[in-house]
Amino acid sequence: MNTTTGKPVHLAVYDTLADWETGHATAQLARTGHEIRTVGPTTAPVRSIGGLRIRPDLALDDLRPEDSALLILPGADLWDTTDDLAPFARTARTFLDAGVPVAAICGATAGLAREGLLDDRDHTSAISFYLAATGYAGGGRYVEADAVTDGPLITAGPTEPVAFAREILRLLGVYEGVVLDAWYRLFHDSDPAAYGVLEKAGAL
């Protein structure tokens, strides 16, 4: 199912971003008709943990919720070592206030915790005490799960890029039901039986 709204999905990019965390999501979204646009602190190139050089399509100051279908925030060392990425967490607040979805994984969840965005929403991350170290007030809403969706917010830990993608695909209505389950089983569990389901549904 392709339910693209005509609005792009925005992928945040910044120095030390974790390459492996968003690839499943962005690849499948692009293959099903969603435009992916990168947004950086500025339009100056950034470099990922894996050494990839990325020139952002637009600067964060130019991003508006009404122009986006979703904001994806990957993890990065900078989430825990500086305040450089705090503007991305503030932008996430603007998106959520406008009812536009945000998906955060790994260190980005800590950034959202510091911004107070996890205090009143179910969420997950790498491990509960990682977020507790931020001093946030949302510990009681922490869920031990591979990925969690609460309204327009998706969170996941660094070892769950496929589950993270699954929740994004579900939230945007790309796949659902048995097709979504088969997609997850194929890429997470290498289940050969899932291939036939996806092939029959035209989802490969």
Side-chain angles (χ1 to χ4, degrees), residues 106-199:
C106 189
T109 63
L112 298 191
R114 294 185 189 97
E115 183 63 19
L117 296 176
L118 305 185
D119 290 350
D120 301 310
R121 294 179 173 93
D122 290 345
H123 60 276
T124 194
S125 184
I127 198 165
S128 60
F129 59 74
Y130 169 64
L131 291 186
T134 68
Y136 84 132
R141 302 295 295 268
Y142 188 90
V143 180
E144 293 288 352
D146 53 9
V148 171
T149 298
D150 188 335
L153 178 65
I154 295 168
T155 51
T159 61
E160 298 294 346
V162 181
F164 185 59
R166 178 196 64 206
E167 296 305 297
I168 290 172
L169 298 176
R170 188 202 315 273
L171 188 65
L172 293 184
V174 176
Y175 299 136
E176 58 189 16
V178 296
V179 176
L180 181 65
D181 178 66
W183 183 88
Y184 179 75
R185 287 188 289 110
L186 179 63
F187 288 100
H188 188 267
D189 303 325
S190 300
D191 182 355
Y195 185 89
V197 176
L198 295 174
E199 187 175 42

Side-chain angles (χ1 to χ4, degrees), residues 45-139:
V46 299
R47 196 169 294 276
S48 73
I49 288 177
L52 298 181
R53 184 177 183 271
I54 304 166
R55 183 181 293 277
D57 293 315
L58 73 161
L60 185 62
D61 286 346
D62 296 324
L63 178 62
R64 301 184 304 172
E66 59 265 34
D67 297 330
S68 184
L70 169 72
L71 175 62
I72 302 176
L73 299 174
D77 290 345
L78 292 182
W79 282 112
D80 296 319
T81 58
T82 73
D83 293 327
D84 291 355
L85 302 185
F88 284 90
R90 291 194 291 271
T91 297
R93 176 180 291 282
T94 302
F95 267 60
L96 293 172
D97 286 347
V100 181
V102 172
I105 186 170
C106 189
T109 63
L112 298 191
R114 294 185 189 97
E115 183 63 19
L117 296 176
L118 305 185
D119 290 350
D120 301 310
R121 294 179 173 93
D122 290 345
H123 60 276
T124 194
S125 184
I127 198 165
S128 60
F129 59 74
Y130 169 64
L131 291 186
T134 68
Y136 84 132

